[in-house]
Amino acid sequence: MRKFIIGIIIFLIIVFVLQLNMPRQHRWEPTFSHTDPEPFGCMVFDSVLCQSLKKGYSVTNKSIYQILKDSAFNSRPHGLMIVCEEFELDSLTYSSLLKLAEKGHHVLIAADPTGKYSEKLTDTLHVSLYSYTYFDVLRIRKSLFMTEQSLYDTLKWIGNPSLYPTREYSFLSQMIDGNIHTRIKTSLDTLSVMYKRRMPIWEDDEIREEKADVLIDTVTTAATLPFGKGKFIFAPTPLLFTNYGILDDSRAEYVFRILSEMGDVPVVRTENYIVTSATLNNRMSPFRYFLSQRPLKWALYLSLVMMLLFFLFTARRRQSVIPVIETPKNPQLEFVKLIGTLYHQKHDNTDLLQKKFLFFSEELRRQTGIDIQDDTDDEHTFLELAKITGMPATEIRDIILTLRVRLSGNEKTDDKTLQQLIDKMDSINKAL
């Protein structure tokens, strides 16, 4: 048994050490959360910016409307960061977003605007943002067996040549799969472009450009747009604004170049518009469609009320009534009362004393082994009882001899004498 327990303990220690030394499995789901240490969380990203931005950096869960009403934002210009996969616009968010820029704040949008007012925002700014944040680790692992060009794309920084020199950055293609389109000529200031490879076009089983293995598309990936007293900064590559994007020197340099467009102002990042997996599951739930339609919503509510009433009315017990079982009576007590009544009516004290003496002598025989009904050696019997009870031998002799004399004669016993003799027998029993 001991060897078995020792073997189990050693096995558990080995398993623990192996688990401790195994490489950690990271979760590659974009959360952009301030408390998420995984690659596409923002715990490290926020920590780095807190140390790097001199005017201050903070994370809030307020909506853009709440930020607009904040007294701190009304006192001086701020920078607002919106980093998420899909930036859902409604009427209140749309109007608040424009008012922020009009008042002189700088708004960085690193997301794909969606919702009813996304087209209205496009009509106002004449700019369309597209972001694709699906990151497939298995696909990247498969691409490692292919050429490096199928795995990476190049971003070229061309903005603010007086502050930053032109430089090219190589990123994983899935991390920078976003672009900016303009419908008409605007005052959009391009910050960076991406050289994106695409396969050549096949036509009549021949390649249109025979000399090119792949064709190169140039798309805008970061730009600024003045609006009112402030400006919008577009960077539809949200995966770069995460822990994974800030820990590499080249990626971090590109991110800080974009952040520098906000100027020397306090920066606030809002998490109010981050769509988690739970939110997406709720959106895909059929109940969401039921609740969006008034007739179906009321039908659902009425069904729930009817089910609740059904549970209430059918929760009663349907089994037969269990009869009440009376407590069984004690016949021995009734028997004792009956015998006592008979003796009381007969009033034969001598017979009662006789039965009491028999019980007394039987109790002495059971506890001490002495038979007081045997008078062949009374002196020895009295001495032994005196040793056991601690009572004087003369007192014990008087009690037993008085009982024998009283029971051997035909003299009647009155109530007082009966009580005295019974008390003397009880005193010997108590002394045992």
Side-chain angles (χ1 to χ4, degrees), residues 263-281:
D264 195 14
V265 296
V267 178
V268 176
R269 184 175 72 87
T270 177
E271 292 187 330
N272 186 268
Y273 302 95
I274 296 175
V275 180
T276 61
S277 299
T279 307
L280 290 175
N281 291 334

PDB file of all heavy atoms in Angstrom, residues 263-281:
ATOM      1  N   GLY A 263      -1.175  64.565 -31.367  1.00  0.00           N
ATOM      2  CA  GLY A 263      -0.543  65.731 -30.770  1.00  0.00           C
ATOM      3  C   GLY A 263      -0.266  65.518 -29.292  1.00  0.00           C
ATOM      4  O   GLY A 263      -0.450  64.435 -28.734  1.00  0.00           O
ATOM      5  N   ASP A 264       0.156  66.584 -28.649  1.00  0.00           N
ATOM      6  CA  ASP A 264       0.547  66.538 -27.244  1.00  0.00           C
ATOM      7  C   ASP A 264      -0.684  66.804 -26.367  1.00  0.00           C
ATOM      8  O   ASP A 264      -0.817  67.864 -25.742  1.00  0.00           O
ATOM      9  CB  ASP A 264       1.647  67.578 -26.986  1.00  0.00           C
ATOM     10  CG  ASP A 264       2.338  67.327 -25.653  1.00  0.00           C
ATOM     11  OD1 ASP A 264       2.150  66.237 -25.093  1.00  0.00           O
ATOM     12  OD2 ASP A 264       3.053  68.231 -25.171  1.00  0.00           O
ATOM     13  N   VAL A 265      -1.599  65.829 -26.340  1.00  0.00           N
ATOM     14  CA  VAL A 265      -2.848  65.962 -25.579  1.00  0.00           C
ATOM     15  C   VAL A 265      -3.085  64.676 -24.796  1.00  0.00           C
ATOM     16  O   VAL A 265      -2.537  63.625 -25.133  1.00  0.00           O
ATOM     17  CB  VAL A 265      -4.048  66.227 -26.519  1.00  0.00           C
ATOM     18  CG1 VAL A 265      -3.894  67.563 -27.238  1.00  0.00           C
ATOM     19  CG2 VAL A 265      -4.218  65.084 -27.518  1.00  0.00           C
ATOM     20  N   PRO A 266      -3.901  64.743 -23.749  1.00  0.00           N
ATOM     21  CA  PRO A 266      -4.271  63.507 -23.051  1.00  0.00           C
ATOM     22  C   PRO A 266      -5.078  62.583 -23.970  1.00  0.00           C
ATOM     23  O   PRO A 266      -5.902  63.050 -24.755  1.00  0.00           O
ATOM     24  CB  PRO A 266      -5.123  63.989 -21.871  1.00  0.00           C
ATOM     25  CG  PRO A 266      -4.802  65.428 -21.712  1.00  0.00           C
ATOM     26  CD  PRO A 266      -4.458  65.937 -23.078  1.00  0.00           C
ATOM     27  N   VAL A 267      -4.833  61.290 -23.874  1.00  0.00           N
ATOM     28  CA  VAL A 267      -5.476  60.323 -24.753  1.00  0.00           C
ATOM     29  C   VAL A 267      -6.363  59.405 -23.901  1.00  0.00           C
ATOM     30  O   VAL A 267      -5.952  58.945 -22.828  1.00  0.00           O
ATOM     31  CB  VAL A 267      -4.438  59.492 -25.533  1.00  0.00           C
ATOM     32  CG1 VAL A 267      -5.133  58.450 -26.406  1.00  0.00           C
ATOM     33  CG2 VAL A 267      -3.575  60.412 -26.385  1.00  0.00           C
ATOM     34  N   VAL A 268      -7.560  59.141 -24.410  1.00  0.00           N
ATOM     35  CA  VAL A 268      -8.504  58.252 -23.736  1.00  0.00           C
ATOM     36  C   VAL A 268      -8.932  57.173 -24.734  1.00  0.00           C
ATOM     37  O   VAL A 268      -9.289  57.484 -25.874  1.00  0.00           O
ATOM     38  CB  VAL A 268      -9.739  59.014 -23.225  1.00  0.00           C
ATOM     39  CG1 VAL A 268     -10.745  58.039 -22.604  1.00  0.00           C
ATOM     40  CG2 VAL A 268      -9.337  60.065 -22.208  1.00  0.00           C
ATOM     41  N   ARG A 269      -8.877  55.924 -24.293  1.00  0.00           N
ATOM     42  CA  ARG A 269      -9.366  54.826 -25.122  1.00  0.00           C
ATOM     43  C   ARG A 269     -10.670  54.303 -24.519  1.00  0.00           C
ATOM     44  O   ARG A 269     -10.735  53.977 -23.338  1.00  0.00           O
ATOM     45  CB  ARG A 269      -8.344  53.690 -25.196  1.00  0.00           C
ATOM     46  CG  ARG A 269      -8.768  52.551 -26.141  1.00  0.00           C
ATOM     47  CD  ARG A 269      -7.672  51.514 -26.289  1.00  0.00           C
ATOM     48  NE  ARG A 269      -7.512  50.717 -25.082  1.00  0.00           N
ATOM     49  CZ  ARG A 269      -8.194  49.609 -24.810  1.00  0.00           C
ATOM     50  NH1 ARG A 269      -9.097  49.159 -25.671  1.00  0.00           N
ATOM     51  NH2 ARG A 269      -7.981  48.940 -23.689  1.00  0.00           N
ATOM     52  N   THR A 270     -11.707  54.225 -25.322  1.00  0.00           N
ATOM     53  CA  THR A 270     -12.992  53.740 -24.839  1.00  0.00           C
ATOM     54  C   THR A 270     -13.210  52.289 -25.241  1.00  0.00           C
ATOM     55  O   THR A 270     -12.905  51.887 -26.369  1.00  0.00           O
ATOM     56  CB  THR A 270     -14.149  54.610 -25.366  1.00  0.00           C
ATOM     57  OG1 THR A 270     -15.391  54.044 -24.929  1.00  0.00           O
ATOM     58  CG2 THR A 270     -14.147  54.673 -26.882  1.00  0.00           C
ATOM     59  N   GLU A 271     -13.706  51.499 -24.281  1.00  0.00           N
ATOM     60  CA  GLU A 271     -14.018  50.090 -24.529  1.00  0.00           C
ATOM     61  C   GLU A 271     -15.519  49.868 -24.685  1.00  0.00           C
ATOM     62  O   GLU A 271     -15.968  48.729 -24.733  1.00  0.00           O
ATOM     63  CB  GLU A 271     -13.514  49.231 -23.368  1.00  0.00           C
ATOM     64  CG  GLU A 271     -12.007  49.161 -23.273  1.00  0.00           C
ATOM     65  CD  GLU A 271     -11.549  48.164 -22.229  1.00  0.00           C
ATOM     66  OE1 GLU A 271     -12.269  47.952 -21.241  1.00  0.00           O
ATOM     67  OE2 GLU A 271     -10.464  47.576 -22.418  1.00  0.00           O
ATOM     68  N   ASN A 272     -16.274  50.951 -24.796  1.00  0.00           N
ATOM     69  CA  ASN A 272     -17.730  50.830 -24.835  1.00  0.00           C
ATOM     70  C   ASN A 272     -18.216  50.120 -26.084  1.00  0.00           C
ATOM     71  O   ASN A 272     -19.295  49.513 -26.069  1.00  0.00           O
ATOM     72  CB  ASN A 272     -18.360  52.221 -24.726  1.00  0.00           C
ATOM     73  CG  ASN A 272     -19.863  52.173 -24.615  1.00  0.00           C
ATOM     74  OD1 ASN A 272     -20.573  52.240 -25.618  1.00  0.00           O
ATOM     75  ND2 ASN A 272     -20.360  52.065 -23.392  1.00  0.00           N
ATOM     76  N   TYR A 273     -17.451  50.157 -27.146  1.00  0.00           N
ATOM     77  CA  TYR A 273     -17.920  49.629 -28.426  1.00  0.00           C
ATOM     78  C   TYR A 273     -17.265  48.307 -28.800  1.00  0.00           C
ATOM     79  O   TYR A 273     -17.379  47.858 -29.937  1.00  0.00           O
ATOM     80  CB  TYR A 273     -17.677  50.671 -29.521  1.00  0.00           C
ATOM     81  CG  TYR A 273     -18.361  51.972 -29.217  1.00  0.00           C
ATOM     82  CD1 TYR A 273     -17.676  53.008 -28.586  1.00  0.00           C
ATOM     83  CD2 TYR A 273     -19.711  52.159 -29.507  1.00  0.00           C
ATOM     84  CE1 TYR A 273     -18.313  54.201 -28.276  1.00  0.00           C
ATOM     85  CE2 TYR A 273     -20.351  53.346 -29.197  1.00  0.00           C
ATOM     86  CZ  TYR A 273     -19.648  54.357 -28.584  1.00  0.00           C
ATOM     87  OH  TYR A 273     -20.291  55.531 -28.263  1.00  0.00           O
ATOM     88  N   ILE A 274     -16.571  47.700 -27.841  1.00  0.00           N
ATOM     89  CA  ILE A 274     -15.965  46.396 -28.095  1.00  0.00           C
ATOM     90  C   ILE A 274     -17.047  45.335 -28.087  1.00  0.00           C
ATOM     91  O   ILE A 274     -17.828  45.226 -27.137  1.00  0.00           O
ATOM     92  CB  ILE A 274     -14.894  46.069 -27.038  1.00  0.00           C
ATOM     93  CG1 ILE A 274     -13.736  47.076 -27.137  1.00  0.00           C
ATOM     94  CG2 ILE A 274     -14.380  44.649 -27.217  1.00  0.00           C
ATOM     95  CD1 ILE A 274     -12.690  46.889 -26.056  1.00  0.00           C
ATOM     96  N   VAL A 275     -17.109  44.558 -29.132  1.00  0.00           N
ATOM     97  CA  VAL A 275     -18.097  43.483 -29.255  1.00  0.00           C
ATOM     98  C   VAL A 275     -17.414  42.180 -28.884  1.00  0.00           C
ATOM     99  O   VAL A 275     -16.489  41.726 -29.572  1.00  0.00           O
ATOM    100  CB  VAL A 275     -18.679  43.419 -30.684  1.00  0.00           C
ATOM    101  CG1 VAL A 275     -19.707  42.301 -30.784  1.00  0.00           C
ATOM    102  CG2 VAL A 275     -19.295  44.754 -31.066  1.00  0.00           C
ATOM    103  N   THR A 276     -17.837  41.570 -27.762  1.00  0.00           N
ATOM    104  CA  THR A 276     -17.251  40.309 -27.314  1.00  0.00           C
ATOM    105  C   THR A 276     -17.954  39.126 -27.972  1.00  0.00           C
ATOM    106  O   THR A 276     -18.962  39.285 -28.663  1.00  0.00           O
ATOM    107  CB  THR A 276     -17.363  40.195 -25.786  1.00  0.00           C
ATOM    108  OG1 THR A 276     -18.757  40.209 -25.429  1.00  0.00           O
ATOM    109  CG2 THR A 276     -16.664  41.360 -25.105  1.00  0.00           C
ATOM    110  N   SER A 277     -17.425  37.948 -27.719  1.00  0.00           N
ATOM    111  CA  SER A 277     -18.043  36.728 -28.276  1.00  0.00           C
ATOM    112  C   SER A 277     -19.443  36.517 -27.716  1.00  0.00           C
ATOM    113  O   SER A 277     -20.343  36.053 -28.424  1.00  0.00           O
ATOM    114  CB  SER A 277     -17.170  35.515 -27.948  1.00  0.00           C
ATOM    115  OG  SER A 277     -15.895  35.655 -28.528  1.00  0.00           O
ATOM    116  N   ALA A 278     -19.630  36.874 -26.420  1.00  0.00           N
ATOM    117  CA  ALA A 278     -20.960  36.716 -25.822  1.00  0.00           C
ATOM    118  C   ALA A 278     -21.975  37.619 -26.512  1.00  0.00           C
ATOM    119  O   ALA A 278     -23.124  37.239 -26.752  1.00  0.00           O
ATOM    120  CB  ALA A 278     -20.891  37.040 -24.330  1.00  0.00           C
ATOM    121  N   THR A 279     -21.529  38.844 -26.850  1.00  0.00           N
ATOM    122  CA  THR A 279     -22.437  39.765 -27.545  1.00  0.00           C
ATOM    123  C   THR A 279     -22.795  39.241 -28.921  1.00  0.00           C
ATOM    124  O   THR A 279     -23.943  39.333 -29.357  1.00  0.00           O
ATOM    125  CB  THR A 279     -21.778  41.148 -27.659  1.00  0.00           C
ATOM    126  OG1 THR A 279     -21.358  41.562 -26.354  1.00  0.00           O
ATOM    127  CG2 THR A 279     -22.758  42.164 -28.216  1.00  0.00           C
ATOM    128  N   LEU A 280     -21.802  38.693 -29.623  1.00  0.00           N
ATOM    129  CA  LEU A 280     -22.083  38.148 -30.955  1.00  0.00           C
ATOM    130  C   LEU A 280     -23.040  36.966 -30.870  1.00  0.00           C
ATOM    131  O   LEU A 280     -23.924  36.815 -31.718  1.00  0.00           O
ATOM    132  CB  LEU A 280     -20.763  37.717 -31.615  1.00  0.00           C
ATOM    133  CG  LEU A 280     -19.828  38.854 -32.033  1.00  0.00           C
ATOM    134  CD1 LEU A 280     -18.524  38.289 -32.563  1.00  0.00           C
ATOM    135  CD2 LEU A 280     -20.487  39.738 -33.082  1.00  0.00           C
ATOM    136  N   ASN A 281     -22.869  36.134 -29.841  1.00  0.00           N
ATOM    137  CA  ASN A 281     -23.788  35.005 -29.674  1.00  0.00           C
ATOM    138  C   ASN A 281     -25.206  35.487 -29.410  1.00  0.00           C
ATOM    139  O   ASN A 281     -26.178  34.898 -29.893  1.00  0.00           O
ATOM    140  CB  ASN A 281     -23.308  34.111 -28.532  1.00  0.00           C
ATOM    141  CG  ASN A 281     -22.025  33.376 -28.873  1.00  0.00           C
ATOM    142  OD1 ASN A 281     -21.743  33.139 -30.053  1.00  0.00           O
ATOM    143  ND2 ASN A 281     -21.259  33.019 -27.864  1.00  0.00           N
TER     144      ASN A 281
END
